[in-house]
């Protein structure tokens, strides 16, 4: 029977079918960060061992300062970072800690190190784990109790989700990025559209994307409600993985490659749901509200809640516009921004930094603008090709790797009422600081906002 | 984990869809231990800058202070995987959340903490919220054994739940202990898997 890629990977990881609708799945890779502290502490209290420390990789990203040499003064934050170092040392788990150039955002370093591979089942206690699906892995975010469960058993009970295929056909226009594609997808299916589903992204537009770009798309699957998002592996995937530290070598590479080539969904496989978008119709996109589904082409105007027939949805829009300080009918390109953030597991890879630098080059930021690379190695690679120089010359701040202003746990926050054009993944109330106003955009659009001081159509620059 | 059998209690309606876990507990509190999270539920919408309660927030209103049940809208608990979103609901005494849909990760976190997630059709959930608005302080009854919700007006609605999850909630079972009981199957799988995907063992 023809199978989807999801089914092929799922089936291969079934330990046993449990009672009553749940399957016990085996986990190939488990990524850990400071947020895993509570799970380690409970494991310690219950006296349980870590079953497979060799299947884990840990890094510090959420709480680490993004300026060199900044001491961590908050004792609770210090405990989070030092706790991870202690737990991973005690449990013999590989750890890329502060001072290690391989340290970075957990969803950036997994692929970068070759830990993420096609056909594996990967989990992490973070909702953006779907990022790893860009290489043809089944990857999803889990809660803290599940992290503890995986540490203790290397397994997880799961109910099989349905599979949604999203095809993006045609070709993207000039100035349209992977971020615009995923924002357009979320606006189409809604923030709850993928609940209970794993998404397979397909179509010419996805095929034409680099691995970095596919990661941007898969990363935001959770913003469309889906825990997992994936792209079939192809020659780009294999070329990306070749030679990475954790990637197979020699004869094992050949065996792995032969297996990876069997993973794409069979041509006549059937999906529980299918959605198709026309790639050529996607414009550079910005969000105006406090849900990632509140996205519109930058050429549009702030929408009017009066035009919304659904009562709850209208109330939601009114609240969002009040929080965002926006008036219906205002052209989005007239919205002034106070700050710009380029970074996060959505958009902090080399392709993202290049796209932003191409706009920043020879121009000048008129508002404070930060660039936070996704890992120490990306920072190094960007510096090797002079991107840091371009950003600095344009008045942007070039910082150390970490999650930074995407979630602000390390103190990188925007103030009350401050409007941020941000390449991160969530425009929720308070996400970038209490009262801060977030507009989600692509790296090029963020750079355009920095040099114009407003939400700007990158195609006009 | 506290078992869940039957709860009859005041229910509070939350009307907006897509309530994310950042709103349920802001990120700046996640560095605190679980025990230190009491009182932080919906912090930034429940309290003003001086720490005073906002009168317009439903859980601050007299009839709803004793609520042990939330009746919410689509996609409640979307966004971040932070399990603290369930912990602060638990701290507040909330035992069950009735929704038309829940964020997938939040949904899973409810089960591992003994909070019962109840999924009912959108029109039924909207009807429950309307009754709670019409009769503030009204009670709802949620019975896991019979898989039924009894509305303030006496109508009952059956909900579905996986037998595996139901059993775990009814008994308050430790899921890790249960899985460790499958040691033989896990070890056998590991041996098979290592033969099928041997490259995963050859690490950096």
């Amino acid at each position: 029977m023809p199978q989807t890629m999801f089914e092929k990977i799922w089936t291969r990881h079934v330990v046993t079918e449990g009672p009553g609708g749940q399957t016990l799945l085996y986990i190939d890779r488990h990524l850990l960060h400071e947020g895993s502290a509570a799970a380690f502490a409970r494991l310690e209290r219950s006296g349980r061992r870590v079953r497979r420390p060799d299947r884990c990789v840990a890094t510090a990203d959420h709480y680490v300062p993004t300026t060199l040499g900044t001491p961590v003064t908050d004792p609770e934050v210090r405990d989070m970072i030092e706790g991870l170092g202690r737990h991973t040392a005690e449990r013999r788990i590989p750890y890329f800690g502060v001072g290690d150039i391989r340290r970075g955002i957990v969803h950036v370093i997994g692929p970068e190190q070759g830990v993420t591979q096609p056909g594996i089942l990967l989990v992490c206690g973070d909702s953006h784990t779907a990022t790893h699906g860009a290489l043809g892995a089944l990857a999803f975010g889990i809660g803290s109790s599940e992290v503890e469960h995986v540490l203790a058993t290397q397994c997880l009970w799961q109910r099989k989700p349905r599979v949604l295929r999203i095809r993006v056909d045609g070709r993207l226009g000039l100035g349209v990025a992977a971020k615009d594609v995923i924002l357009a997808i979320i606006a189409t299916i809604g923030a709850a559209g993928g609940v209970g589903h794993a998404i397979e992204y397909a179509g010419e537009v996805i095929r034409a994307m680099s691995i970095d770009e596919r990661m941007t798309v898969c990363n935001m699957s959770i913003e469309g409600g889906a825990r997992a998002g994936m792209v079939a592996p192809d020659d780009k995937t294999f070329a990306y993985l070749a030679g990475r530290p954790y990637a197979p070598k020699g004869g094992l590479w050949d065996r792995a490659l032969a297996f990876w080539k069997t993973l794409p969904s069979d041509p006549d496989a059937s999906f529980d749901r299918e959605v198709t978008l026309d790639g050529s119709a996607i414009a550079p996109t910005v969000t105006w509200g406090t849900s990632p589904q509140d996205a519109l082409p930058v050429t549009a105007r702030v929408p009017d809640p009066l035009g919304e027939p659904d009562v709850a949805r209208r109330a939601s829009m009114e609240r969002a516009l009040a929080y965002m300080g926006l008036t219906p009918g205002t052209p989005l390109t007239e919205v002034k921004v106070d700050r710009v953030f380029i970074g996060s597991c959505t958009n902090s890879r080399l392709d993202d930094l290049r796209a932003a630098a191409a706009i920043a080059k020879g121009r000048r930021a008129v508002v404070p603008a930060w660039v936070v690379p996704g890992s120490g190695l990306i920072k190094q690679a960007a510096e090797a090709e002079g991107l840091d120089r371009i950003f600095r010359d344009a008045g942007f701040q070039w910082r150390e790797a970490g999650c930074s202003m995407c979630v602000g746990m390390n103190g990188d926050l925007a103030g009350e009422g401050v409007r941020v054009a941000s390449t991160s993944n969530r425009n929720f109330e308070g996400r970038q600081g209490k009262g801060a106003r977030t507009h989600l955009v692509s790296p090029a659009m963020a750079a355009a906002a920095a040099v114009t001081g407003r939400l700007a159509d990158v195609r006009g620059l | 984990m506290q078992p869940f059998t039957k709860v009859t209690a005041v229910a509070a309606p939350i009307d907006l869809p897509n309530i994310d876990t950042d709103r349920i507990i802001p990120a700046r509190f996640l560095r605190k231990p679980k025990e230190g999270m009491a009182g932080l539920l919906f912090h930034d919408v429940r309290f003003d800058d001086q720490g005073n309660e906002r009168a317009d927030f439903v859980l601050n209103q007299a009839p709803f202070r004793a609520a042990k049940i939330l009746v919410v809208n689509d996609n409640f608990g979307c966004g971040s995987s932070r399990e603290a979103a369930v912990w602060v609901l638990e701290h507040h005494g909330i035992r069950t959340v009735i929704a038309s849909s829940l964020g997938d990760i939040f949904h899973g976190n409810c089960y591992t903490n003994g909070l019962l997630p109840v999924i009912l059709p959108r029109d039924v959930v909207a009807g429950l919220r309307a009754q709670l608005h019409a009769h503030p302080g009204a009670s709802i009854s949620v019975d896991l054994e019979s898989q039924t919700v009894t509305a303030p007006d006496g109508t009952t609605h059956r909900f579905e739940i996986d037998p595996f999850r139901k059993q775990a909630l009814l008994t308050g079972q430790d899921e890790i202990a249960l899985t460790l009981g499958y040691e033989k199957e896990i070890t056998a799988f590991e041996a098979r898997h290592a033969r099928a995907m041997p490259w995963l063992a050859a690490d950096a």
Side-chain angles (χ1 to χ4, degrees):
Chain A
M1 202 171 113
Q3 283 187 308
T4 63
M5 172 168 55
F6 169 82
E7 284 167 324
K8 292 177 192 184
I9 302 175
W10 175 278
T11 307
R12 190 170 269 268
H13 291 87
V14 175
V15 174
T16 185
E17 295 295 344
Q22 302 275 319
T23 304
L24 189 64
L25 294 174
Y26 193 78
I27 309 301
D28 292 316
R29 303 284 196 206
H30 187 192
L31 303 182
L32 300 151
H33 55 87
E34 303 98 308
S36 317
F40 276 114
R42 287 193 302 271
L43 206 66
E44 201 164 46
R45 279 202 297 275
S46 60
R48 284 172 174 146
R49 65 173 178 146
V50 174
R51 186 186 174 88
R52 293 296 301 267
D54 60 321
R55 305 289 87 178
C56 302
V57 172
T59 192
D61 54 5
H62 284 70
Y63 287 92
V64 175
T66 53
T67 43
L68 259 187
T70 305
V72 177
T73 49
D74 184 321
E76 285 175 337
V77 171
R78 206 167 49 220
D79 284 354
M80 296 293 285
I81 300 171
E82 287 175 1
L84 181 66
R86 179 174 67 82
H87 287 300
T88 50
E90 284 172 7
R91 306 286 189 166
R92 300 175 179 279
I93 290 170
Y95 174 50
F96 304 151
V98 175
D100 188 327
I101 193 156
R102 299 170 298 174
R103 189 190 64 77
I105 305 174
V106 69
H107 307 310
V108 172
I109 70 159
E112 187 172 79
Q113 291 296 321
V115 170
T116 310
Q117 295 170 17
I120 65 166
L121 207 170
L122 180 153
V123 297
C124 173
D126 188 278
S127 61
H128 290 109
T129 305
T131 313
H132 306 266
L135 280 87
L138 174 57
F140 52 87
I142 57 178
S144 168
S145 295
E146 291 172 315
V147 168
E148 183 189 359
H149 190 283
V150 176
L151 285 171
T153 68
Q154 204 54 33
C155 295
L156 210 51
W157 293 100
Q158 291 288 297
R159 182 189 180 81
K160 194 177 188 176
R162 285 161 291 182
V163 188
L164 161 63
R165 178 162 65 181
I166 298 181
R167 297 185 57 92
V168 189
D169 292 328
R171 275 172 66 177
L172 297 180
L174 208 64
V176 181
K179 182 64 161 285
D180 302 310
V181 172
I182 188 60
L183 286 173
I185 287 171
I186 296 163
T188 303
I189 66 171
V195 169
H197 292 79
I199 298 177
E200 180 179 336
Y201 299 98
E204 295 159 75
V205 165
I206 306 292
R207 278 293 127 226
M209 284 181 180
S210 70
I211 301 300
D212 281 6
E213 291 172 316
R214 292 176 189 176
M215 285 196 243
T216 298
V217 172
C218 289
N219 172 270
M220 288 187 70
S221 298
I222 191 72
E223 274 64 55
R227 278 171 87 181
M230 56 211 306
V231 174
D234 58 14
D235 289 342
K236 282 184 206 175
T237 319
F238 311 142
Y240 175 94
L241 277 168
R244 297 202 179 253
Y246 279 75
K249 316 262 182 320
L252 285 175
W253 169 269
D254 298 334
R255 282 188 67 180
L257 187 63
F259 165 63
W260 295 343
K261 288 181 173 171
T262 67
L263 288 171
S265 294
D266 298 328
D268 38 3
S270 73
F271 293 82
D272 298 295
R273 248 177 90 201
E274 298 222 44
V275 171
T276 303
L277 275 78
D278 174 7
S280 63
I282 299 172
T285 301
V286 301
T287 61
W288 53 266
T290 54
S291 165
Q293 71 182 4
D294 300 337
L296 282 171
V298 67
T299 49
R301 289 166 185 267
V302 175
D304 192 339
L306 288 177
E308 173 55 53
D310 181 83
V311 179
R313 176 87 192 111
R314 194 187 314 146
S316 209
M317 285 175 77
E318 280 165 356
R319 184 185 170 92
L321 291 180
Y323 180 86
M324 293 298 290
L326 294 173
T327 311
T330 310
L332 287 166
T333 49
E334 285 178 14
V335 174
K336 289 196 168 69
V337 303
D338 306 304
R339 282 184 76 162
V340 169
F341 171 63
I342 298 169
S344 86
C345 57
T346 313
N347 282 129
S348 65
R349 286 166 286 265
L350 202 52
D351 278 4
D352 301 316
L353 303 185
R354 286 176 181 149
I359 300 300
K361 189 169 188 169
R363 295 191 172 94
R364 189 80 202 158
V366 295
V367 295
W370 286 16
V371 186
V372 182
S375 72
L377 287 169
I378 288 173
K379 181 166 186 271
Q380 189 181 52
E383 288 171 355
E385 55 184 81
L387 301 184
D388 61 320
R389 201 68 262 162
I390 293 173
F391 285 123
R392 284 199 171 107
D393 287 348
F396 290 61
Q397 276 195 36
W398 179 247
R399 299 174 74 93
E400 298 297 313
C403 299
S404 186
M405 269 185 82
C406 175
V407 64
M409 288 179 182
N410 69 339
D412 290 351
L413 290 166
E416 186 101 28
V418 170
R419 190 179 299 284
V420 190
S422 176
T423 67
S424 53
N425 39 56
R426 291 189 173 134
N427 51 353
F428 296 159
E429 279 186 28
R431 175 77 179 182
Q432 294 191 298
K434 200 175 167 189
R437 296 161 169 168
T438 305
H439 295 273
L440 303 177
V441 290
S442 75
M445 287 281 283
V451 299
T452 59
R454 55 186 170 80
L455 298 175
D457 190 337
V458 68
R459 296 169 299 189
L461 259 71
Chain B
M1 190 173 96
Q2 191 184 356
F4 189 105
T5 48
K6 181 175 179 172
V7 169
T8 302
V10 171
I14 293 185
D15 297 319
L16 291 177
N18 302 314
I19 298 291
D20 56 75
T21 54
D22 273 83
R23 204 175 304 188
I24 299 174
I25 177 164
R28 65 182 183 278
F29 298 127
L30 298 181
R31 63 191 65 161
K32 293 190 178 300
K34 179 178 175 180
E35 313 74 59
M37 290 180 179
L40 297 177
L41 175 65
F42 292 119
H43 186 277
D44 290 353
V45 281
R46 209 167 122 216
F47 304 104
D48 65 19
D49 290 342
Q50 282 71 49
N52 302 311
E53 289 186 353
R54 293 177 199 266
D56 61 349
F57 189 70
V58 64
L59 294 178
N60 292 335
Q61 294 163 3
F64 299 113
R65 283 185 178 277
K68 289 190 173 165
I69 299 172
L70 293 185
V71 183
V72 300
N73 203 324
D74 293 341
N75 207 23
F76 182 86
C78 62
S80 158
S81 60
R82 60 191 69 173
E83 195 160 313
V86 178
W87 299 342
V88 289
L89 286 165
E90 208 182 336
H91 274 310
H92 195 81
I94 304 295
R95 297 298 324 277
T96 172
V97 175
I98 302 172
S100 41
S101 66
L102 293 170
D104 278 343
I105 305 177
F106 175 83
H107 198 160
N109 289 341
C110 287
Y111 292 122
T112 50
N113 287 278
L115 194 145
L116 172 66
V118 173
I119 305 295
L120 287 170
R122 182 179 289 140
D123 58 328
V124 172
V125 178
L128 290 174
R129 288 198 309 270
Q131 288 183 49
L132 299 176
H133 282 296
H135 306 284
S139 283
I140 286 179
S141 192
V142 180
D143 183 358
L144 178 55
E145 185 58 59
S146 67
Q147 296 178 219
T148 52
V149 169
T150 306
D153 67 3
T155 54
T156 60
H157 307 275
R158 188 183 157 80
F159 61 90
E160 295 306 319
I161 180 170
D162 284 344
F164 175 93
R165 297 297 186 193
K166 178 176 177 176
Q167 195 53 33
L169 283 166
L170 283 171
T171 58
Q173 180 164 42
D174 175 353
E175 200 176 296
I176 295 177
L178 172 86
T179 309
L180 290 173
Y182 286 86
E183 176 59 33
K184 222 173 68 191
E185 286 85 350
I186 298 170
T187 305
F189 178 91
E190 276 180 330
R192 279 201 311 277
H193 199 53
R195 284 194 297 275
M197 295 169 76
W199 56 89
L200 290 179
D203 280 345

